[in-house]
Amino acid sequence: MELRYLSAFLAVAEELHFGRAARRLRMAQPPLSQQIRRLEKELGVQLFERNTRSVRLTSAGESFLQPVRTVLDDLDTAVRAARAAGQGAYGRVRIGFAGASSHETLPLLTRAVRAAHPGIELVMTGQTYADVALARVADGSLDLGFVRLPVTAPGVSCRVIDEEELVCALPLDHPLAGRAGIPLDALAGEPFVAFPANTGSTVRDAMTEACEAAGFSPRVVQEAPDSYTILALVAAGVGVTLTVTSVQHIQLSGLVYRPLAGPPIRRQPALAWRTDNPSAALRAVLDVAERALPTPGR
């Protein structure tokens, strides 16, 4: 059964007038009448009762009408979905992010993607430290990761989306809390709170590198899995920490942030993805990210 016969039937059934139905289908009336007769012959039933003054559906036509509408609606949906999928408007994108440090950038991206491509499902995985996110992008278990430079994994592309600096977080009553800038060597011997070692936290790595460059290794007395808990422990007086400016939205009683003295120690958050990832949905998300999270200075 040809789909054009179904379209012809629907137009006549809804218009109940062969002339109007033909104009709606942008065709002449005689070919339309021929299509209806062929459809009736194929079905073996009469679909319309027609005379020189009126057209109306038979009981068979009434029964045929809703299934035909469903078939044509489903076909239209399938066509639009296929075309949209080819443009990246449908699909699933798996994203890994670290949490507090993505407080501003992640919502900007997700809101922009949902506005531009509501057919794309974003599957979010939190507490994915930057190095872990990079490894999971490289092995294909994530499509997109919030990471920090440098990105050295082969086959992975990245784009910088922000710039941040290391800062010191201290208890409000700490002797150094009144300083405008904290010299790193003044923290030698202080108890530190930090992300767990060897879990892929680039903030922990940056803290260790900065302290070692100042001549000491940080004495970590407490570890915690996320910035919120780390800063709560600092506010409670357990120790100090080095963190990044992107978490300074976390404001707790008893907690202060202070810049480090000397040249800024900068970090560059980035988005990372496998260069050979064939997902059209990922490409659509990356296109949106170019607008929502532009590279600083570009």
Side-chain angles (χ1 to χ4, degrees):
M1 184 177 296
E2 296 188 35
L3 286 171
R4 61 193 177 118
Y5 294 172
L6 299 183
S7 297
F9 165 77
L10 182 62
V12 175
E14 292 181 342
E15 298 291 344
L16 293 178
H17 190 283
F18 274 81
R20 289 195 299 268
R23 287 192 295 273
R24 170 172 156 180
L25 296 171
R26 298 181 181 179
M27 62 187 300
Q29 185 173 331
L32 175 61
S33 297
Q34 290 174 9
Q35 288 181 9
I36 295 299
R37 285 195 295 270
R38 288 170 183 166
L39 177 61
E40 289 176 326
K41 182 178 180 180
E42 187 169 343
L43 292 172
V45 296
Q46 185 177 347
L47 298 172
F48 297 99
E49 290 181 359
R50 48 222 189 243
N51 56 44
T52 57
R53 293 189 300 274
S54 67
V55 176
R56 69 184 184 88
L57 287 162
T58 64
S59 59
E62 292 279 3
S63 299
F64 195 49
L65 178 57
Q66 189 53 51
V68 167
R69 281 193 179 120
T70 300
V71 167
L72 293 177
D73 285 347
D74 287 348
L75 176 63
D76 181 63
T77 299
V79 169
R80 287 187 287 108
R83 288 172 176 166
Q87 298 167 0
Y90 279 80
R92 174 181 296 180
V93 176
R94 301 159 298 172
I95 302 178
F97 64 99
S101 60
S102 303
H103 167 76
E104 293 185 358
T105 53
L106 181 65
L108 287 174
L109 177 60
T110 56
R111 283 196 296 266
V113 170
R114 285 168 181 149
H117 301 293
I120 291 180
E121 179 188 0
L122 300 178
V123 181
M124 316 301 296
T125 304
Q127 287 195 1
T128 307
Y129 301 129
D131 283 355
V132 174
L134 180 58
R136 293 190 61 190
V137 166
D139 70 20
S141 58
L142 284 177
D143 298 303
L144 191 63
F146 281 75
V147 303
R148 287 187 176 87
L149 297 190
V151 171
T152 58
V156 175
S157 298
C158 69
R159 182 176 63 81
V160 173
I161 58 171
D162 200 1
E163 288 187 344
E164 55 191 10
E165 296 179 9
L166 280 186
V167 295
C168 185
L170 311 100
L172 180 61
D173 59 358
H174 192 282
L176 295 173
R179 302 280 291 269
I182 308 297
L184 269 170
D185 57 8
L187 299 176
E190 291 285 340
F192 277 76
V193 184
F195 288 99
N198 304 317
T199 56
S201 168
T202 58
V203 174
R204 166 86 183 230
D205 294 342
M207 181 189 77
T208 301
E209 291 169 8
C211 291
E212 289 179 347
F216 69 98
S217 294
R219 181 170 61 88
V220 177
V221 298
Q222 180 77 52
E223 295 180 334
D226 59 80
S227 293
Y228 294 99
T229 306
I230 289 171
L231 295 170
L233 291 169
V234 171
V238 174
V240 302
T241 196
L242 298 185
T243 189
V244 285
T245 48
S246 57
V247 306
Q248 289 184 118
H249 64 279
I250 302 174
Q251 297 292 326
L252 302 172
S253 176
L255 173 73
V256 294
Y257 299 97
R258 294 291 180 264
L260 297 173
I265 302 173
R266 293 190 171 91
R267 309 293 291 173
Q268 291 183 302
L271 292 176
W273 63 94
R274 277 191 66 92
T275 309
D276 62 359
N277 189 323
S279 168
L282 172 63
R283 297 297 157 186
V285 169
L286 291 173
D287 288 344
V288 172
E290 286 275 0
R291 301 188 297 272
L293 303 174
T295 298
R298 180 179 294 179

